[in-house]
Amino acid sequence: GMRKESVIAEANFSNHNARIILALLGLDAHDLWGRLSPEEIPAILQRLLTLTNTKNQRDHLVSPASVEKQEGKCTVVWGGNTDEQTLRRLQAVQHLLVESIQGGFGISWG
């Protein structure tokens, strides 16, 4: 059979990373369901421009990988985060927002 694949930009993040990006953009990081109307997107794009060009606004997100071990409990591995990873996520969102502006539609997540 045939399968149609979307040609519209998309971004897929873990809940943890989604909350980080939402907070950076000034959106509600506690609610992982939301949407932006076409009228709201230019302000978010302006914020994104500042974030991608001002490293010190992202520095607090850099963290090393770590391992938590407690006797009798499972081991938890935290992958850490680099500035390059944060930038890659922000650029994915920027691409999505630019495409939505060009198409005249809003975006939603959840």
Side-chain angles (χ1 to χ4, degrees):
M2 298 280 293
R3 183 173 99 168
K4 282 189 171 184
E5 298 228 3
S6 174
V7 293
I8 296 173
E10 60 183 46
N12 187 10
F13 306 123
S14 69
N15 288 349
H16 175 76
N17 289 327
R19 283 186 172 98
I20 289 170
I21 297 301
L22 289 170
L24 281 174
L25 297 176
L27 300 169
D28 184 0
H30 295 90
D31 187 4
L32 291 177
W33 296 88
R35 64 186 177 104
L36 290 172
S37 68
E39 297 78 28
E40 295 171 298
I41 293 173
I44 300 297
L45 276 170
Q46 280 187 310
R47 176 77 181 130
L48 254 171
L49 194 60
T50 301
L51 288 167
T52 57
N53 289 301
T54 312
K55 187 177 183 309
N56 68 359
Q57 291 197 21
R58 303 182 311 268
D59 282 342
H60 67 285
L61 298 173
V62 175
S63 62
S66 64
V67 177
E68 289 180 19
K69 291 184 180 183
Q70 293 182 2
E71 192 172 322
K73 295 188 176 186
C74 65
T75 300
V76 177
V77 178
W78 296 97
N81 188 57
T82 65
D83 188 52
E84 291 78 20
Q85 290 170 310
T86 301
L87 268 176
R88 194 169 51 247
R89 291 178 193 112
L90 289 171
Q91 289 165 347
V93 171
Q94 183 178 28
H95 179 73
L96 175 68
L97 293 174
V98 166
E99 194 166 308
S100 70
I101 287 283
Q102 291 171 341
F105 53 85
I107 63 165
S108 61
W109 58 92

